[in-house]
Amino acid sequence: MCPAKGSDLSQAAIAEALASVLERGLPVALYQLPQVTGNVMSPETIRKLAEEYPNFYLFKDTSGHDRVAESQLDFAGVFLVRGAEGDYARWPKSAGGPYDGFLLSTANVFARELDAVLTLLEQGRCAESQTLADRLTRTVDGVFKLVSAFHTGNAFTNANKTMDHLMAYGERGLRHEPPLLYSGVRLPASLMASAAELLRQNGLMPSKGYLGATE
């Protein structure tokens, strides 16, 4: 769950509202999502909740500012995951970073590549991990910029549907109809073509795609 919406909410108000749910004893993951809520939970607020509620087991930060994870406070064993895209090789604990892992929308598209980033870090092959992370970052950043000009639907959804379509079909994806959104509108063919070029430039465009065997 996230805090309630409101840029004027104090930390005390945020903590009180979250505590009313945590008190039920159910397993809870808290999301730092200021893009939606308009507010940010402070490191001290997260520490207080972690100390008081053992059922608070995971914290995800999509803010891109990483204040909680970088505060070096004791969060009583809460699992810290980063939701902000990009710079993937810098943040895991295996690279000396503050996070236990990732929770990314693009894991639906680049699960194998993101796993490789972490595996290379664990093997001490940091330069290789960084090179792969840079390729992923350039691709993801580029596709998110492309979809920002398309004002139907959700940017995260549109970016991932675009990339997944190409990962599914490879080059043939440009000959298939683009993905259909819930609104009934299809993503533009021009967007698919630009995204395909980004994938090619960064060595991530599959020759066949994971649905190739079904065609």
Side-chain angles (χ1 to χ4, degrees), residues 21 28 40 52 60 62 70 72 86-87 99 105 112 128 141 154 156 188-189 192-193:
V21 178
V28 170
V40 174
E52 293 184 12
K60 174 187 175 181
T62 308
E70 291 193 315
Q72 299 185 335
D87 204 11
Y99 284 100
S105 65
R112 181 179 299 173
E128 293 174 71
D141 283 354
N154 176 279
F156 285 92
M192 306 304 300

Side-chain angles (χ1 to χ4, degrees), residues 139-152:
T139 302
V140 172
D141 283 354
V143 174
F144 270 83
K145 287 177 182 176
L146 288 173
V147 302
S148 67
F150 183 68
H151 301 299
T152 300

Side-chain angles (χ1 to χ4, degrees), residues 109 140 143-144 147 154-164 187:
V109 180
V140 172
V143 174
F144 270 83
V147 302
N154 176 279
F156 285 92
T157 300
N158 294 346
N160 282 288
K161 281 192 172 187
T162 297
M163 291 184 286
D164 184 63
L187 292 170

Side-chain angles (χ1 to χ4, degrees), residues 29-192:
L30 294 184
Y31 278 22
Q32 184 91 284
L33 195 59
Q35 300 93 323
V36 173
T37 65
N39 54 55
V40 174
M41 294 176 280
S42 71
E44 293 75 19
T45 294
I46 296 300
R47 179 179 63 178
K48 181 176 183 291
L49 294 172
E51 289 174 345
E52 293 184 12
Y53 299 100
N55 53 309
F56 167 26
Y57 72 97
L58 182 145
F59 174 74
K60 174 187 175 181
D61 195 334
T62 308
S63 69
H65 298 295
D66 308 290
R67 286 181 54 213
V68 172
E70 291 193 315
S71 69
Q72 299 185 335
L73 296 178
D74 182 359
F75 297 110
V78 169
F79 198 78
L80 303 179
V81 293
R82 191 170 197 263
E85 300 281 357
D87 204 11
Y88 307 102
R90 170 187 168 190
W91 296 102
K93 287 183 176 177
S94 54
Y99 284 100
D100 296 295
F102 298 129
L103 209 171
L104 302 166
S105 65
T106 56
N108 294 288
V109 180
F110 296 124
R112 181 179 299 173
E113 291 79 8
L114 290 165
D115 178 67
V117 168
L118 297 175
T119 299
L120 289 167
L121 287 174
E122 291 167 0
Q123 294 172 348
R125 297 158 65 184
C126 298
E128 293 174 71
S129 178
Q130 186 63 60
T131 297
L132 176 54
D134 288 344
R135 288 163 52 204
L136 287 167
T137 297
R138 287 193 297 269
T139 302
V140 172
D141 283 354
V143 174
F144 270 83
K145 287 177 182 176
L146 288 173
V147 302
S148 67
F150 183 68
H151 301 299
T152 300
N154 176 279
F156 285 92
T157 300
N158 294 346
N160 282 288
K161 281 192 172 187
T162 297
M163 291 184 286
D164 184 63
H165 179 83
L166 296 168
M167 297 300 282
Y169 295 108
E171 294 290 349
R172 294 185 186 184
L174 297 174
R175 299 196 295 274
H176 282 263
E177 282 191 311
L180 184 69
L181 304 181
Y182 285 113
S183 63
V185 175
R186 289 192 182 276
L187 292 170
S190 59
L191 171 60
M192 306 304 300

